[in-house]
């Protein structure tokens, strides 16, 4: 297939997965975490991923985010086959294109809010310290935490921590945001706050979002729901 | 990038005060111990005045004589130094010495004095600091004038705070007129003494003609070369000279010896004298001693290094999720290894700096307690550079392995909390 052809084929698709399979092998055990997944996510879409516990949602999101390599299948990001890239190139793609939000926030406890938010920019070339700081301040402002930049994560509520994590995910202005149960550790009021931020990002900045959730109510607010059962795509 | 790493390291170390404290204690104590030992060795390897010209000096001390029936290791006679060593090509100045001890009773106090019995050139090779008067000359030596130089301490014992110039000192049956007072040097340096007088006064005909094993012997010599770079050729000429030595009145057939640097002499003394040693005089003792000291240093550092590796492994494991996050947001493994190494280097170098301060304090104490009489120890620039190098090696050793291990961990696994999670 020529590059030209590949590009016309995947015109508006941010992500395209074809025949993706993920098998975890240990000495005695073989777990098929994902089998024959075919997904296409369009530019500007807000997609939710649902399924029972252990069905492979996180595995799928990790594959989508290039955090984990599939055992089989092809994946294209903006039309580019990313399954063949080397480790450092993948790291750069993640840095430029993707932002992550985790269920348990994964903030660096030793660093203040602003330093946490700056992390993705550290691995981007050509940014000065003051530029990084400026961008981090903007991101923190977007999640409404401008008054907490000097706090350590342990000094914040769960909802605030997740907002810091969102600021970190968007500071590099990625086109794709991946969130693994972002409200899973939060009460519903805090969860709604987070959802509001995600919706705003999606609507006002055109950020494409894929979000794993257990909550039908939250899934209903998204454009489309992908359902996974036992590693298989059921809808 | 390095600036970011340094900044980050600083933030993390400040944030983890307990870990930082424990690590710094371990690192600084280890380094301080090493520095104290290093400073003392360094002092003897690169001694202060009167060894200013040490880089151009070679010493001829104990030699080995071989006969059919026996082996002797001894300082040779005056004649050996005078007839065989003095004429070697490249020798700019040459001095022969021997020593003796005298029991004297200044002011009724029984005192043992070490007399260094030297020629006039001795004072040209070694630049003693004179508090009063001046050294005796080679002419004084040739003319067998009854003159002496005393040390600061000897002056104190005999004359209190008064001047010693022109006064006399009696050693055994002979009385000498004091012409100079030299500042004390550390008694652990071989050039030190309580009193010096001309070697010609005591020389017997046997001393002058003897080589080895004809009577007492007991003479050593010092060669001063024009240039430090001349030393190897002088040493080679010395070796070439040995087979030409004629042994007048004994059944000694050949000798083994070396003209060694000051450090080489001390290395030989450290390794000891073994009459079974077939390579006596032919071995590079200085290099051997340095190798041994390095091995000991490494051995001594291994334990705290392993300990620090352990602490680092658990510290880095604790930060598995941080590593996962950084990688998720685009950090390469190399960037992470870099970050952890810089963190560890910052830690060990701060530890090294504290170690230098601790060592300096201990050395001040050793100096003032007089454990090495008259020696003044410091962490000098050379020792400090060594310390910095050692702490860097320490930092790399203890940082690279855990960092590398951790940076290789798959992201998903790191995010779950590490290797065992
Ligand atoms: N590193 C791993 N090694 C082996 N099996 C794994 C690993 N990670 C996940 N799995 C298995 O893969 C399946 C899907 O896991 P996951 O994607 O985490 O599910 P979900 O996020 O939907 O709860 C589960 O059966 C899980 O036990
Ligand atoms: Mg999950």
């Amino acid at each position: 297939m020529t590059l030209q052809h590949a590009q016309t084929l995947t015109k508006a698709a941010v992500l395209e997965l074809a025949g993706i399979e993920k098998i975890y092998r240990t000495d005695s055990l073989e777990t098929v975490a994902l089998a024959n997944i075919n997904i296409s996510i369009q530019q500007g879409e807000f997609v939710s991923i649902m399924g029972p516990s252990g069905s492979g949602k996180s595995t799928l999101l990790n594959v989508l985010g290039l955090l984990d390599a599939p055992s089989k299948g092809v994946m294209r990001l903006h039309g580019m086959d990313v399954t063949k890239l080397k480790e450092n190139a993948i790291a750069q793609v993640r840095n430029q294109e993707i932002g992550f939000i985790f269920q348990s926030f994964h903030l660096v406890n030793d660093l203040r809010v602003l330093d946490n938010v700056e992390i993705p920019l550290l691995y981007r070339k050509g940014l000065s310290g003051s530029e990084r700081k400026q961008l981090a301040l903007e991101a923190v402002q977007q999640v409404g935490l401008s008054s907490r930049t000097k706090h350590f994560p342990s000094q914040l509520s769960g909802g605030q921590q997740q907002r810091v994590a969102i600021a970190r995910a968007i500071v590099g202005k990625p086109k794709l945001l991946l969130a693994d149960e972002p409200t899973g550790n939060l009460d519903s009021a805090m969860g709604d706050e987070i959802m509001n931020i995600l919706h705003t990002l999606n609507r006002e900045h055109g950020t494409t979002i894929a979000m794993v959730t257990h909550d039908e109510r939250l899934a209903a607010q998204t454009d489309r729901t992908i359902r996974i059962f036992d590693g298989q795509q059921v809808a | 990038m390095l600036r970011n790493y340094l900044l980050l390291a600083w933030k993390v170390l400040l944030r983890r005060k307990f870990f930082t404290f424990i690590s710094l204690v371990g690192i600084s104590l280890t380094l301080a111990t090493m520095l104290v030992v290093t400073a003392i060795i360094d002092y003897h390897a690169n001694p202060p005045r009167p060894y200013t010209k040490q880089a151009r000096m070679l010493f001829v001390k104990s030699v080995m004589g071989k006969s059919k029936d026996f082996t002797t290791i001894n300082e040779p006679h005056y004649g050996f130094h005078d007839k065989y060593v003095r004429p070697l090509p490249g020798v700019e100045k040459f001095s022969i010495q021997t020593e003796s001890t005298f029991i004297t009773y200044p002011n009724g106090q029984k005192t043992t004095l070490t007399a260094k019995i030297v020629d006039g050139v001795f004072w040209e090779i070694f630049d003693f600091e004179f508090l009063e008067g001046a050294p005796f000359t080679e002419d004084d030596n040739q003319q067998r004038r009854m003159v002496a130089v005393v040390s600061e301490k000897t002056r104190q014992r005999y004359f209190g705070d008064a001047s010693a110039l022109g006064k006399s000192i009696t050693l055994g049956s002979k009385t000498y007129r004091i012409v100079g007072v030299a500042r004390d040097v550390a008694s652990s340096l071989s050039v030190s003494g309580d009193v010096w007088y001309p070697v010609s006064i005591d020389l017997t005909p046997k001393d002058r003609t003897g080589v080895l094993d004809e009577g007492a012997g007991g003479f050593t010599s010092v060669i001063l070369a024009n240039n430090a770079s001349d030393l190897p050729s002088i040493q080679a000429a010395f070796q070439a000279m040995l087979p030409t030595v004629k042994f007048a009145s004994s059944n000694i057939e050949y000798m083994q010896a070396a003209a060694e640097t000051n450090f080489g002499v001390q290395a030989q003394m450290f390794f000891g004298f073994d009459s079974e040693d077939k390579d006596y005089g032919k071995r590079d003792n200085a290099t051997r001693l340095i190798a041994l000291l390095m091995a000991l240093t490494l051995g001594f550092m291994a334990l705290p290094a392993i300990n620090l590796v352990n602490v680092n492994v658990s510290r880095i494991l604790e930060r598995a999720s941080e590593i996962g996050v950084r990688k998720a947001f685009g950090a390469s493994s190399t960037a992470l290894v870099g970050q952890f190494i810089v963190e560890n280097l910052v830690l060990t170098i701060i530890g090294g700096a504290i170690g230098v301060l601790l060592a300096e304090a201990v050395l001040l104490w050793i100096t003032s307690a007089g454990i090495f009489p008259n020696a003044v120890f410091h962490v000098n620039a050379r020792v400090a550079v060594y310390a910095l190098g050692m702490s860097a090696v320490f930092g790399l050793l203890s940082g690279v392995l855990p960092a590398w291990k951790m940076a290789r961990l798959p992201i998903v696994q790191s995010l779950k909390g590490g290797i065992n999670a």
Side-chain angles (χ1 to χ4, degrees):
Chain A
M1 183 170 13
T2 65
L3 194 63
Q4 179 90 48
H5 186 49
Q7 272 165 355
T8 46
L9 237 178
T10 59
K11 203 169 180 192
V14 176
L15 263 176
E16 246 192 333
L17 279 67
I20 290 289
E21 195 176 293
K22 178 72 190 180
I23 298 174
Y24 288 110
R25 284 193 181 84
T26 55
D27 299 337
S28 54
L29 216 71
E30 201 171 86
T31 313
V32 181
L34 293 175
N36 194 27
I37 303 284
N38 299 288
I39 299 175
S40 169
I41 297 175
Q42 307 304 305
Q43 181 81 52
E45 257 194 312
F46 192 159
V47 178
S48 52
I49 300 168
M50 289 200 75
S53 185
S55 59
K57 305 181 296 293
S58 295
T59 306
L60 175 59
L61 206 71
N62 291 339
V63 169
L64 290 179
L66 307 182
L67 296 180
D68 210 352
S71 313
K72 212 194 237 177
V74 177
M75 185 164 109
R76 294 196 194 87
L77 184 70
H78 301 301
M80 171 178 65
D81 186 350
V82 287
T83 36
K84 303 250 151 42
L85 291 179
K86 293 245 162 52
E87 191 200 307
N88 279 359
I90 291 180
Q92 270 310 299
V93 171
R94 279 197 303 266
N95 180 266
Q96 304 280 339
E97 307 284 344
I98 307 172
F100 297 93
I101 303 162
F102 306 98
Q103 178 174 358
S104 49
F105 324 137
H106 282 317
L107 297 177
V108 179
N109 289 323
D110 293 334
L111 297 180
R112 295 174 197 277
V113 164
L114 206 63
D115 292 323
N116 261 289
V117 173
E118 256 189 56
I119 285 175
L121 304 179
L122 289 176
Y123 306 108
R124 197 169 278 194
K125 289 189 181 68
L127 283 177
S128 73
S130 58
E131 284 170 323
R132 284 201 304 268
K133 192 164 179 191
Q134 190 52 43
L135 287 168
L137 280 170
E138 282 169 22
V140 171
Q141 193 172 6
Q142 251 181 297
V143 298
L145 276 178
S146 296
S147 59
R148 299 283 192 278
T149 56
K150 292 216 154 54
H151 286 60
F152 283 103
S154 57
Q155 298 167 322
L156 300 177
S157 73
Q160 288 172 325
Q161 290 189 44
Q162 193 61 302
R163 278 149 68 187
V164 175
I166 294 177
R168 179 179 63 188
I170 62 173
V171 72
K173 305 201 186 333
K175 296 191 189 65
L176 176 64
L177 214 53
L178 300 176
D180 193 348
E181 303 194 44
T183 61
N185 282 6
L186 303 175
D187 63 32
S188 62
M190 284 181 174
D192 287 344
E193 257 177 51
I194 297 302
M195 283 308 289
N196 281 336
I197 295 173
L198 292 183
H199 278 297
T200 308
L201 285 169
N202 175 242
R203 235 176 276 123
E204 289 173 16
H205 299 267
T207 309
T208 310
I209 303 177
M211 175 185 75
V212 170
T213 182
H214 267 323
D215 192 333
E216 286 288 356
R217 193 177 58 93
L218 299 185
Q221 299 172 19
T222 64
D223 299 336
R224 175 159 68 99
T225 301
I226 295 167
R227 289 181 195 273
I228 306 279
F229 190 82
D230 214 3
Q232 310 268 351
Q233 197 177 339
V234 292
Chain B
M1 205 68 214
L2 185 66
R3 224 182 113 245
N4 291 336
Y5 287 167
L6 285 173
L7 220 68
L8 202 65
W10 186 244
K11 284 175 183 166
V12 169
L13 294 178
L14 278 186
R15 186 80 176 128
R16 308 206 156 208
K17 291 200 177 69
F18 183 70
F19 160 79
T20 306
F21 175 75
I22 291 292
S23 302
L24 284 181
V25 167
I27 296 163
S28 55
L29 284 183
T30 308
L31 270 158
T33 313
M34 268 175 34
L35 281 180
V36 167
V37 174
T38 309
I40 293 172
I41 292 172
D42 179 75
Y43 181 86
H44 291 94
N46 304 285
R49 229 176 141 172
Y51 283 92
T52 310
K53 297 172 204 154
Q54 130 154 309
R56 289 156 54 201
M57 293 182 195
L58 287 176
F59 296 78
V60 179
K61 299 212 164 178
S62 294
V63 302
M64 177 186 266
K66 287 276 199 186
S67 81
K68 277 203 178 63
D69 321 312
F70 67 91
T71 303
T72 171
I73 298 182
N74 237 318
E75 288 169 353
H77 271 287
Y78 186 91
F80 170 72
H81 297 287
D82 191 38
K83 278 190 291 189
Y84 293 104
V85 187
R86 189 190 297 279
L88 290 178
V91 174
E92 188 205 349
K93 284 184 178 165
F94 186 70
S95 163
I96 305 174
Q97 318 87 39
T98 185
E99 69 173 79
S100 185
T101 50
F102 293 95
I103 293 169
T104 63
Y105 295 87
N107 308 312
Q109 286 276 319
K110 184 180 172 181
T111 307
T112 305
L113 292 185
T114 300
K116 292 291 167 84
I117 307 164
V118 303
D119 51 22
V121 181
F122 175 85
W123 305 104
E124 296 167 28
I125 296 178
F126 292 99
D127 59 334
F128 279 84
E129 185 185 348
F130 273 78
L131 303 175
E132 285 190 79
F136 51 80
T137 62
E138 183 55 20
D139 186 53
D140 291 328
N141 179 43
Q142 298 291 336
Q143 304 303 321
R144 299 175 162 219
R145 294 196 182 103
M146 302 297 284
V147 289
V149 169
V150 297
S151 71
E152 194 180 352
K153 190 162 130 221
T154 306
R155 177 180 69 177
Q156 178 66 34
R157 278 170 173 165
Y158 275 75
F159 313 110
D161 296 329
S163 165
L165 283 191
K167 294 185 176 150
S168 61
I169 183 166
T170 302
L171 304 168
S173 59
K174 294 182 180 121
T175 300
Y176 304 82
R177 182 173 50 86
I178 295 170
V179 295
V181 177
R183 186 180 291 292
D184 287 331
V185 303
S187 34
S188 51
L189 298 176
S190 69
V191 79
S192 70
D194 300 313
V195 57
W196 293 259
Y197 64 82
V199 65
S200 296
I201 294 171
D202 288 350
L203 278 185
T204 63
K206 208 168 193 174
D207 287 330
R208 287 191 183 276
T209 55
V211 172
L212 188 61
D213 194 42
E214 299 101 352
F219 288 85
T220 61
S221 62
V222 186
I223 296 166
L224 187 73
N226 255 321
N227 259 307
S229 58
D230 293 344
L231 298 188
S233 67
I234 296 175
Q235 287 174 310
F238 182 90
Q239 291 302 326
M241 166 274 289
L242 287 177
T244 70
V245 175
K246 298 210 163 39
F247 301 93
S249 62
S250 81
N251 50 0
I252 290 181
E253 290 169 339
Y254 68 95
M255 67 195 280
Q256 289 178 211
E260 294 199 271
T261 61
N262 188 27
F263 188 66
V265 169
Q266 292 176 67
Q268 178 68 65
M269 284 178 6
F270 174 83
F271 289 117
F273 299 91
D274 175 9
S275 58
E276 304 288 305
D277 183 359
K278 292 203 167 34
D279 291 327
Y280 184 85
K282 297 173 181 169
R283 210 182 265 113
D284 185 352
N285 289 309
T287 307
R288 222 172 122 211
L289 181 57
I290 287 171
L292 179 74
L293 289 174
M294 297 249 250
L296 285 176
T297 304
L298 282 183
F300 180 71
M301 286 209 328
L303 219 67
I306 289 169
N307 187 44
L308 197 64
V309 168
N310 270 330
V311 173
N312 270 330
V313 168
S314 55
R315 176 176 68 111
I316 292 178
L317 279 177
E318 253 176 60
R319 293 166 67 182
S321 115
E322 173 185 343
I323 291 169
V325 164
R326 288 184 185 277
K327 281 181 127 180
F329 283 105
S332 63
S333 296
T334 353
L336 285 174
V337 171
Q339 181 197 324
F340 279 108
I341 288 176
V342 168
E343 233 178 87
N344 214 46
L345 276 179
V346 167
L347 189 70
T348 44
I349 287 172
I350 293 174
I354 298 175
V356 167
L357 294 180
L358 278 177
E360 185 65 23
V362 172
L363 289 170
L364 270 176
W365 174 79
I366 290 178
T367 299
S368 69
I371 294 171
F372 293 79
N374 300 326
V376 177
F377 298 115
H378 283 294
V379 177
N380 59 27
R382 198 170 34 237
V383 176
V385 165
Y386 175 78
L388 221 72
M390 276 301 167
S391 19
V393 169
F394 205 77
L396 282 175
L397 274 183
S398 57
V400 169
L401 208 74
W404 188 245
K405 198 168 163 180
M406 213 49 217
R408 300 299 304 164
L409 204 64
I411 303 176
V412 175
Q413 211 171 330
S414 309
L415 284 172
K416 281 181 182 164
I419 288 166
N420 303 314

